[in-house]
């Protein structure tokens, strides 16, 4: 099967990344996790752990590991043992301890793990025996089991890591992955293709129906659709809104869709000075952010960029997420009031800011270039000159995480069905060097989301999250734009493919009828 994917992954070590492009190419193919999400759903099911026990105080989790699971055999690694507790310890100790030998030899960041505060909250990790591990937390984390099902928590081989360390090649963990998943990594050519082979020794043999899986990296949406129509690929993603009707009417194709569990938004860098600049940053002022926010003509963007396949966003997460506060309304479009606010803030007409536009399509934004041009025009009407900036995707994310961005087009597809995956991961203080691209940290907001995460009472959590949403709305670190409908075009011959609510593309259980 050929999957026309939308971009080159930055690497193959899921712990280092936060985007679907990276996860599709590694976590969803090569790896497994202790817990996993059911195919096409948000419920957590056993993965490399067959079951788990939670202590009465909610602080200890004991995982009973699946026995007899084999790591991949490739031309660069042959395992001498099956999966065991040492692999779980290696995976998490590397993320927890900067002084661990492998981490010292290959220093890297683990943005998801730290964005969610797991580095601070896991106080102890123990091997009770070869097939039992115990995590002890400092405070209750209501989403802990869901978090362990997320891509970043993919289980690595400790034996493979030891081999790489001895050979002085620890960085190969990110180029030549070894996992226990349904597909074995075979070859990667940047900007061209990734090749995988079906794992004949997979612990759940019914999930492997393909001998070969190829990611044909095709950044242009119209080229992806042409390839699909010619049967050069059997599954693709992110059609342009303009192509949806012709794809639906093609007798050889199927076009499942579902409301997107996503949000496309503008993140405003609120730092006093943007990294690399000596000038004061206008967006550090609340009045400037309020002005930019109310000068965005959202309806025009939804009509032109989403072309009917998007709903206007008022809030910092989708309305299908439990705890969503529907009393929060979208800021009314008001360029005149925006001009007055800029005047009050002492901002001169013609002031320049940068507007970063993503180079790739994502489920939450089908055309960032067009959206950026429309925002540039909206902001020009209030006397702000926006200079559009873009970089290759991996570079875009890396530079933004380090704080070089001005206003920035970005977005999110939920990863685990928990509100913390939005309100903590994207806007919390712990996420400032990760997915909090605004670099916004509000003590009152942060206390609310941390309290919410530390209780398992859903009614209490909801009340705290609703208060937090109001602070976020008032402080304007972001402008929510839209939630898009997700369409997944594929050939009629594809069987068993399910749209993931988390915007990931998984091929376990997927086959082709002849």
């Amino acid at each position: 099967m050929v999957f026309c994917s939308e971009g080159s992954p930055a690497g193959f070590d899921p712990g280092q990344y936060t985007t679907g492009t990276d996860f599709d190419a590694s976590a969803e193919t090569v790896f497994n996790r202790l817990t996993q999400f059911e195919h096409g759903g948000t419920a957590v099911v056993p993965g490399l752990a067959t079951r788990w026990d939670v202590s009465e105080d909610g602080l200890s989790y004991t995982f009973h590991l699946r026995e007899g699971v084999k790591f991949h055999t490739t031309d660069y690694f042959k395992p001498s043992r099956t999966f065991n507790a040492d692999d779980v310890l290696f995976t998490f100790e590397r993320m927890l301890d900067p002084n661990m030998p492998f981490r010292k030899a290959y220093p890297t960041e683990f943005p998801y793990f730290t964005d969610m505060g797991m580095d601070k909250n896991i106080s102890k990790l123990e091997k009770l025996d070869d097939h039992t591990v115990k995590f002890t937390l400092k405070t209750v984390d209501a989403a802990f089991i869901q978090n362990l099902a997320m891509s970043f928590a993919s289980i690595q081989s400790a034996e493979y890591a030891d081999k790489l360390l001895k050979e002085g090649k620890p960085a190969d963990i990110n180029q030549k992955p070894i996992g226990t998943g349904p597909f074995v990594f075979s070859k990667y050519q940047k900007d061209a293709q990734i090749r995988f082979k079906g794992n004949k020794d997979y612990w759940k043999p019914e999930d492997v129906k393909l001998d070969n899986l190829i990611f044909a990296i095709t950044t242009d949406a119209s080229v992806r659709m042409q390839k699909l129509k010619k049967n050069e690929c059997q599954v693709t993603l992110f059609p342009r809104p303009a192509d949806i009707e012709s794809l639906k009417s093609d007798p050889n194709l199927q076009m499942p869709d579902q409301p997107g569990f996503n949000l496309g938004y503008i993140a405003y860098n609120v730092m006093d000075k943007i990294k690399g600049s000596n000038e004061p940053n206008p967006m550090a002022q609340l009045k400037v952010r309020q002005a930019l926010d109310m000068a965005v003509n959202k309806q025009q963007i939804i009509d032109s960029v989403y072309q009917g396949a998007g709903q206007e966003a008022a809030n910092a997460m989708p309305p299908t997420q439990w705890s969503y506060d529907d009393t929060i309304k979208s800021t009314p479009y008001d360029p005149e009031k925006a001009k007055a606010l800029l005047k009050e803030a002492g901002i001169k007409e013609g002031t320049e800011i940068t507007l970063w536009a993503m180079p790739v399509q994502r489920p939450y934004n089908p055309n960032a270039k067009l959206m950026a041009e429309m925002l540039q025009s909206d902001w020009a009407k209030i006397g702000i000159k926006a200079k559009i900036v873009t970089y290759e995707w991996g570079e875009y994310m890396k530079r933004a995480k380090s704080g070089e961005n001005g206003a920035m087009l970005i977005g999110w597809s939920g990863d685990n069905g928990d509100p913390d995956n939005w309100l903590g991961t994207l806007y919390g203080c712990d996420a400032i060097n990760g997915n909090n691209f605004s670099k916004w940290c509000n003590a009152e907001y942060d206390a609310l989301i941390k309290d919410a995460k530390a209780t398992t009472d859903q009614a209490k959590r909801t009340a705290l999250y609703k208060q937090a949403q109001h602070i976020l709305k008032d402080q304007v670190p972001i402008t929510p734009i839209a939630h898009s409908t997700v369409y997944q075009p594929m050939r009629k011959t594809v069987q068993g493919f399910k749209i993931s609510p988390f915007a990931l593309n998984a091929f376990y259980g997927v086959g082709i009828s002849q």
Side-chain angles (χ1 to χ4, degrees), residues 3 10 44 57 95 151 165 176 206 214 371 391 401 412 436 438 470 490 493 507:
F3 168 54
V44 176
D57 62 6
M95 296 195 270
S151 301
L165 201 52
K176 298 176 170 181
E206 67 276 16
I214 298 167
M371 190 185 288
Y391 296 98
K401 283 176 181 174
W412 195 249
N436 180 343
S438 303
H470 282 275
M490 62 186 85
T493 51
F507 294 91

Side-chain angles (χ1 to χ4, degrees), residues 166-180:
K166 285 187 185 114
E167 291 170 356
K169 296 179 182 170
D172 275 6
I173 202 165
N174 195 25
Q175 302 305 322
K176 298 176 170 181
I178 290 288
T180 56

Side-chain angles (χ1 to χ4, degrees), residues 183-214:
F183 296 95
V184 180
F185 175 82
S186 177
K187 188 180 175 190
Y188 172 47
Q189 286 171 282
K190 191 170 175 7
D191 300 331
Q193 61 171 322
I194 315 168
R195 288 180 171 266
F196 304 92
K197 292 194 182 325
N199 180 3
K200 299 281 188 270
D201 295 321
Y202 193 49
W203 53 270
K204 204 174 171 192
E206 67 276 16
D207 273 356
V208 183
K209 294 182 173 167
L210 301 169
D211 296 322
N212 293 286
L213 173 64
I214 298 167

Side-chain angles (χ1 to χ4, degrees), residues 15 55 63 146 148 177 182 184 197 234 240 258-259 272 274 285 287 292 325 387 417 424 438 442 485 490 496 504:
S55 62
F63 290 90
Q146 284 103 306
L148 291 186
V184 180
K197 292 194 182 325
Q234 288 75 51
R240 294 181 315 170
Q258 66 183 33
D272 290 336
I274 287 170
Q285 293 191 61
K287 283 180 178 171
L292 292 170
D325 190 330
K387 180 187 169 203
S438 303
N442 177 291
T485 305
M490 62 186 85
L504 296 169

Side-chain angles (χ1 to χ4, degrees), residues 213-227:
L213 173 64
I214 298 167
F215 281 32
I217 298 161
T218 314
T219 52
D220 185 308
S222 54
V223 176
R224 287 200 297 273
M225 301 314 136
Q226 286 162 18
K227 285 185 169 184

Side-chain angles (χ1 to χ4, degrees), residues 8 43 45 109 111 216 225 254 281 313 327 361 381 429 448 455-456:
S8 292
V45 295
E109 298 304 314
M225 301 314 136
Q254 49 181 326
N281 172 19
T327 66
Q361 280 183 291
K381 288 173 189 151
C429 297
L448 287 166
T455 173
T456 51

Side-chain angles (χ1 to χ4, degrees), residues 128-396:
L128 303 185
D129 62 42
D130 269 357
H131 291 96
T132 319
V133 289
K134 183 179 177 185
F135 288 78
T136 305
L137 309 182
K138 289 176 190 160
T139 57
V140 171
D141 178 352
F144 189 67
I145 291 293
Q146 284 103 306
N147 292 344
L148 291 186
M150 288 164 59
S151 301
F152 78 89
S154 294
I155 301 297
Q156 299 275 359
S157 160
E159 186 186 11
Y160 179 50
D162 283 346
K163 175 182 183 279
L164 294 178
L165 201 52
K166 285 187 185 114
E167 291 170 356
K169 296 179 182 170
D172 275 6
I173 202 165
N174 195 25
Q175 302 305 322
K176 298 176 170 181
I178 290 288
T180 56
F183 296 95
V184 180
F185 175 82
S186 177
K187 188 180 175 190
Y188 172 47
Q189 286 171 282
K190 191 170 175 7
D191 300 331
Q193 61 171 322
I194 315 168
R195 288 180 171 266
F196 304 92
K197 292 194 182 325
N199 180 3
K200 299 281 188 270
D201 295 321
Y202 193 49
W203 53 270
K204 204 174 171 192
E206 67 276 16
D207 273 356
V208 183
K209 294 182 173 167
L210 301 169
D211 296 322
N212 293 286
L213 173 64
I214 298 167
F215 281 32
I217 298 161
T218 314
T219 52
D220 185 308
S222 54
V223 176
R224 287 200 297 273
M225 301 314 136
Q226 286 162 18
K227 285 185 169 184
L228 182 72
K229 286 182 168 184
K230 291 180 187 166
N231 201 21
E232 288 172 19
C233 56
Q234 288 75 51
V235 179
T236 189
L237 72 180
F238 312 151
R240 294 181 315 170
D243 291 336
I244 285 166
E245 286 314 310
S246 78
L247 291 165
K248 280 183 174 172
S249 62
D250 188 317
N252 297 310
L253 303 180
Q254 49 181 326
M255 186 79 150
D257 68 87
Q258 66 183 33
F261 190 50
N262 62 38
L263 170 68
Y265 62 95
I266 309 162
Y268 301 111
N269 187 333
V270 305
M271 303 293 281
D272 290 336
K273 285 186 178 167
I274 287 170
K275 189 179 172 185
S277 166
N278 294 319
E279 299 296 315
N281 172 19
M283 290 175 290
Q285 293 191 61
L286 175 59
K287 283 180 178 171
V288 174
R289 301 196 298 274
Q290 287 171 326
L292 292 170
D293 182 52
M294 65 182 63
V296 174
N297 190 332
K298 285 192 196 175
Q299 196 51 56
Q300 272 194 352
I301 288 174
I302 286 162
D303 293 344
S304 303
V305 175
Y306 294 87
Q307 295 185 18
Q311 299 81 46
E312 184 173 331
N315 199 343
M317 56 187 188
T320 46
Q321 173 64 65
W322 64 264
S323 83
Y324 180 90
D325 190 330
D326 54 17
T327 66
I328 290 174
K329 302 299 177 202
S330 211
T331 311
Y333 174 57
D334 193 341
E336 290 312 309
K337 190 177 172 191
K339 278 185 201 169
L341 280 169
L342 290 175
K343 201 170 179 184
E344 283 173 36
I347 300 297
K348 292 190 184 76
E349 187 154 341
T351 292
E352 275 200 16
I353 61 169
T354 58
L355 170 58
W356 285 34
M358 301 163 359
V360 294
Q361 280 183 291
R362 301 298 305 142
Y364 49 74
N365 189 336
N367 190 340
K369 183 173 180 283
L370 176 59
M371 190 185 288
E373 287 162 0
M374 294 181 77
L375 289 170
Q376 187 182 47
S377 160
D378 284 345
W379 289 342
K381 288 173 189 151
I382 61 165
I384 294 287
K385 281 172 84 170
K387 180 187 169 203
I388 297 172
V389 173
T390 193
Y391 296 98
E392 180 273 325
W393 184 228
E395 192 68 14
Y396 186 86

Side-chain angles (χ1 to χ4, degrees), residues 16 24 75 86 122 126 138 187 278 348 352 382 393 397 403 417 419 469:
Q16 293 189 43
D24 284 351
D75 57 2
D86 293 337
I122 296 172
E126 301 165 89
K138 289 176 190 160
K187 188 180 175 190
N278 294 319
K348 292 190 184 76
E352 275 200 16
I382 61 165
W393 184 228
M397 296 298 282
Q469 287 164 64

